[in-house]
Amino acid sequence: MNVTTRLVTAEESVTPPAEIYIKRGTPQFMRVTLALFSAGLATFALLYCVQPILPILSQAFGVSPAASSLSLSISTGLLALGLLVTGPLSDAVGRKNVMVTALMLAALFTLLSAGMSSWHGILLMRALTGLALSGVAAVGMTYLSEEIHPSAIAFSMGLYISGNSIGGMSGRLLSGVIADFTSWRVAVAVIGCFALAGALMFWKILPPSRHFRPASLRPRSLLINFRLHWRDSGLPLLFAEGFLLMGAFVTLFNYIGYRLLSPPWSLSQAVVGLLSVVYLTGSWSSPKAGAMTAKYGRAAVLLASVTLMLAGVLITLANTLWLILPGMMLFTAGFFAAHSVASGWIGPRARRAKGQASSLYLFSYYLGSSLAGTLGGVFWHHFGWPGIAGFITLLLLLALMTGFRLRSKKL
């Protein structure tokens, strides 16, 4: 039987001996950490570089805030759909090759988007960027769950998520500031070059997989694994958690710029871009949350993180900038901590086809981004910021309910 097409059975997916895992503190661990950190950084920079310039795009192409948000929502939507293919693909052909190819393509599509003269051209390039990034998002999580020693998975996943947070900050910060002094086209081109350099570094330093075992790409095998994931008592709850968390997060950052650019503050585009430094709280909270799970348990840390998000969004209802900024910081720290715990839970929970399980989590995660991020435009149009805050609060209350169900099942 061909090794690249056979179905990996439960007996064949027995956990390898602990001594052949990559352990924390070793040179290989540092290489993996740096490589996946750079991949997460580049992914989120490419994905969210348009978020602070949504008002500029509205003005440049004569579209509404909700329509402008499509430049982000279409990326996350295609990313979500792509995950249904790239996760299983990585289960069949390997992790590193899929990630390297995907990251380079995403950087090239971003560079092409900087030269588009029509709104539909922009949307097409953003759609292709999201589709390409699907080959990084789930596969990175799966690589870590396979190669890192079990005692360090939560910590390494936290570091990977912190790369996401710094990438999100860098993309927003650079595009917001550069667009204010030059143009949005220059800003997007700079982000594309930055990501291409990150992709090349990732390719050079990431160690090859040692524990990867190819699984079948036959539809019947994929369907069997798909049904197993959804029949699990915990995985569907984690998928729902990803949908709610990301929906809340993207909604806040899609529309906070519109609020701060308007009276009574009327901040400049550069200042609004600089507010992306709140993402640094996520680079601290994600590895911290991963480490805390060993002491307090995943469910407890997840619930505390979602509660922090809820407190943060309620604080943003204040009419003073000196309270809005701390509210954004609390919200961001809570989000990255919660996402770190939930995403790090997928690999240990999934018994087989871990790439597919990670893909399903991130499919839900980015679907929440696309649906809630666009729907938020309706709340902004009709109710302003109180409507946005109310919508986010509803999503977070549902996330808390899901977290309590996870805890009650003692998963």
Side-chain angles (χ1 to χ4, degrees):
M1 185 179 293
N2 191 318
V3 72
T4 62
T5 58
R6 65 183 176 84
L7 174 65
V8 178
T9 65
E11 290 77 17
E12 291 173 309
S13 58
V14 174
T15 303
E19 61 269 15
I20 63 175
Y21 280 112
I22 297 174
K23 296 182 179 180
R24 184 175 174 179
T26 62
Q28 270 199 318
F29 185 87
M30 293 300 296
R31 287 177 61 194
V32 170
T33 298
L34 181 59
L36 268 297
F37 181 89
S38 67
L41 191 152
T43 297
F44 262 53
L46 290 171
L47 198 58
Y48 292 105
C49 63
V50 298
Q51 199 169 49
I53 60 173
L54 291 179
I56 294 177
L57 295 176
S58 290
Q59 184 177 12
F61 292 95
V63 296
S64 68
S68 180
S69 72
L70 284 174
S71 61
L72 177 57
S73 296
I74 199 168
S75 295
T76 54
L78 266 292
L79 191 156
L81 290 175
L83 288 167
L84 299 179
V85 176
T86 53
L89 181 64
S90 76
D91 284 333
V93 304
R95 314 301 183 195
K96 183 174 179 178
N97 289 339
V98 171
M99 288 190 285
V100 170
T101 302
L103 202 52
M104 288 188 174
L105 284 175
L108 291 174
F109 289 138
T110 298
L111 288 170
L112 288 173
S113 71
M116 290 291 138
S117 58
S118 71
W119 181 240
H120 290 99
I122 294 289
L123 293 182
L124 175 61
M125 289 300 106
R126 291 293 298 167
L128 291 174
T129 298
L131 190 62
L133 288 175
S134 67
V136 183
V139 184
M141 291 167 51
T142 307
Y143 178 95
L144 289 174
S145 68
E146 288 177 341
E147 305 300 323
I148 301 297
H149 191 278
S151 64
I153 285 177
F155 178 73
S156 63
M157 194 69 73
L159 291 175
Y160 174 51
I161 301 301
S162 74
N164 294 349
S165 71
I166 293 178
M169 180 203 72
S170 301
R172 290 170 170 90
L173 180 62
L174 288 173
S175 62
V177 173
I178 294 173
D180 200 34
F181 289 99
T182 56
S183 72
W184 69 267
R185 295 185 187 278
V186 173
V188 171
V190 168
I191 299 297
C193 293
F194 165 77
L196 190 58
L200 291 171
M201 184 179 76
F202 175 79
W203 175 46
K204 286 290 186 183
I205 68 174
L206 184 71
S209 299
R210 297 176 64 186
H211 300 148
F212 169 72
R213 299 293 181 271
S216 174
L217 269 179
R218 290 176 297 179
R220 181 175 177 273
S221 303
L222 295 177
L223 181 60
I224 289 172
N225 291 329
F226 180 84
R227 292 172 64 185
L228 284 174
H229 295 325
W230 283 101
R231 287 178 176 177
D232 184 87
S233 60
L235 287 175
L237 294 174
L238 291 170
F239 300 157
E241 199 72 84
F243 178 94
L244 296 165
L245 291 172
M246 189 58 161
F249 182 72
V250 167
T251 300
L252 186 140
F253 280 95
N254 269 7
Y255 300 100
I256 193 69
Y258 287 98
R259 185 188 186 195
L260 298 178
L261 287 167
S262 304
W265 302 290
S266 300
L267 301 180
S268 70
Q269 185 66 53
V271 173
V272 171
L274 284 170
L275 292 180
S276 298
V277 296
V278 300
Y279 269 58
L280 290 176
T281 62
S283 68
W284 170 83
S285 68
S286 49
K288 184 71 173 178
M292 289 172 65
T293 57
K295 183 176 181 180
Y296 300 105
R298 292 185 176 97
V301 178
L302 178 63
L303 287 169
S305 301
V306 176
T307 302
L308 196 63
M309 290 179 70
L310 186 58
V313 74
L314 293 177
I315 291 173
T316 65
L317 285 167
N319 286 321
T320 170
L321 197 59
W322 303 112
L323 284 176
I324 292 173
L325 182 58
M328 292 171 63
M329 293 173 67
L330 285 177
F331 182 86
T332 305
F335 166 74
F336 280 104
H339 174 43
S340 174
V341 174
S343 60
W345 209 334
I346 297 293
R349 184 72 198 174
R351 298 182 181 276
R352 57 196 281 181
K354 294 178 184 290
Q356 188 182 41
S358 295
S359 291
L360 288 171
Y361 170 81
L362 288 174
F363 171 79
S364 303
Y365 178 82
Y366 288 110
L367 187 64
S369 170
S370 295
L371 295 181
T374 302
L375 184 59
V378 177
F379 285 87
W380 170 257
H381 179 73
H382 291 287
F383 308 108
W385 191 253
I388 291 288
F391 178 53
I392 294 172
T393 297
L394 175 62
L395 294 175
L396 294 179
L397 290 175
L398 291 172
L400 282 173
M401 291 172 59
T402 305
F404 278 113
R405 286 193 64 190
L406 284 164
R407 188 176 71 170
S408 67
K409 289 178 177 291
K410 298 180 179 180
L411 298 171

